[in-house]
Amino acid sequence: NAGVMQNPRHLVRRRGQEARLRCSPMKGHSHVYWYRQLPEEGLKFMVYLQKENIIDESGMPKERFSAEFPKEGPSILRIQQVVRGDSAAYFCASSPRDRAYNEQFFGPGTRLTVL
Amino acid sequence: AQKITQTQPGMFVQEKEAVTLDCTYDTSDPSYGLFWYKQPSSGEMIFLIYQGSYDQQNATEGRYSLNFQKARKSANLVISASQLGDSAMYFCAMRDDSNDYKLSFGAGTTVTVRA
């Protein structure tokens, strides 16, 4: 049973470009969470999605950031017009429907570097 | 608001000895869960152990045990018989029922195991 998969593992973008980060949850998991880790800090919650629904995006910056989890395919975190301050590790986690409130299984993260 | 405090930015431990990582938390919700994650230099987040606020016994998982002192709001992680592979960053995290899907993370503690 493959774990949570994220790609790419490393992403380099120039200021003003778009970054797309993908997350495939574990098989059978229908809840996805995105977290951001700035250098030397712990993870900060960004957004919680279920299939085709955004449940809570209170941790997402109001502009330039968006997330989706379509019926088919991976969850996507999209950052438009990236700035240097967006450089961070972005982690996706998933949990199964019947244990949504316990374990969250994390992917390996995508490290975004904005030049 | 939730708050997780890890006061030890870095620790050194001799191989085969035990080490205790401190974590205190603050919440007004009587129902909550506490987690510990390991982040090695490769960057992925590895789930170690979970403690529910109503659990009567301290959680244990192999060499990991959680010293849960509810009245003091502390959830210290004990790693017994340290191994070189235990060298990593360790994060304490909490979920409470008012935000039953968000994990709030501490700033982390770096553990270095010496041979």
Side-chain angles (χ1 to χ4, degrees):
Chain A
N1 186 14
V4 178
M5 300 177 68
Q6 290 187 249
N7 67 81
R9 293 292 306 275
H10 300 274
L11 182 61
V12 178
R13 284 289 178 266
R14 296 191 181 280
R15 281 179 297 170
Q17 291 184 321
E18 178 180 287
R20 280 186 178 239
L21 287 62
R22 295 174 187 79
C23 168
S24 296
M26 288 180 70
K27 186 177 181 180
H29 288 194
S30 58
H31 300 240
V32 166
Y33 318 81
W34 286 93
Y35 293 82
R36 177 164 67 174
Q37 184 182 29
L38 296 172
E40 308 300 323
E41 293 186 13
L43 279 67
K44 297 285 195 299
F45 169 82
M46 298 181 74
V47 62
Y48 164 39
L49 310 104
Q50 295 178 16
K51 285 283 188 182
E52 299 184 279
N53 285 306
I54 297 174
I55 307 302
D56 182 350
E57 56 183 349
S58 60
M60 291 261 280
K62 292 288 185 278
E63 297 178 350
R64 302 188 297 107
F65 284 71
S66 62
E68 62 177 8
F69 188 17
K71 186 177 180 181
E72 301 291 338
S75 175
I76 306 287
L77 179 67
R78 182 183 179 204
I79 312 171
Q80 296 178 291
Q81 299 175 335
V82 296
V83 300
R84 288 217 173 107
D86 297 333
S87 295
Y90 292 83
F91 287 91
C92 168
S94 73
S95 64
R97 182 174 180 273
D98 60 346
R99 295 188 64 187
Y101 308 133
N102 288 332
E103 291 183 42
Q104 291 183 13
F105 296 85
F106 281 82
T110 293
R111 274 136 193 93
L112 173 65
T113 301
V114 180
L115 301 178
Chain B
Q2 303 171 4
K3 185 174 180 180
I4 303 291
T5 303
Q6 294 180 254
T7 57
Q8 307 151 309
M11 297 186 70
F12 292 92
V13 60
Q14 204 65 31
E15 196 177 9
K16 299 181 185 177
E17 292 185 350
V19 62
T20 298
L21 309 183
D22 295 342
C23 173
T24 58
Y25 58 91
D26 185 26
T27 180
S28 56
D29 199 308
S31 179
Y32 51 89
L34 296 154
F35 302 76
W36 278 92
Y37 286 87
K38 173 184 178 182
Q39 187 177 43
S41 58
S42 50
E44 70 268 32
M45 294 289 287
I46 302 167
F47 167 77
L48 294 179
I49 196 166
Y50 168 80
Q51 179 86 43
S53 60
Y54 292 119
D55 293 344
Q56 295 297 314
Q57 293 187 322
N58 287 346
T60 61
E61 289 287 347
R63 294 186 298 109
Y64 304 108
S65 60
L66 201 151
N67 183 3
F68 181 45
Q69 299 187 40
K70 195 169 181 177
R72 296 180 59 187
K73 292 189 175 179
S74 74
N76 298 340
L77 177 71
V78 180
I79 306 173
S80 61
S82 296
Q83 302 172 356
L84 296 178
D86 294 333
S87 294
M89 179 79 92
Y90 290 81
F91 290 98
C92 179
M94 181 176 71
R95 165 201 55 77
D96 69 32
D97 277 1
S98 60
N99 291 288
D100 52 19
Y101 43 80
K102 291 181 186 178
L103 290 179
S104 296
F105 284 81
T109 296
T110 301
V111 172
T112 303
V113 180
R114 290 170 165 160

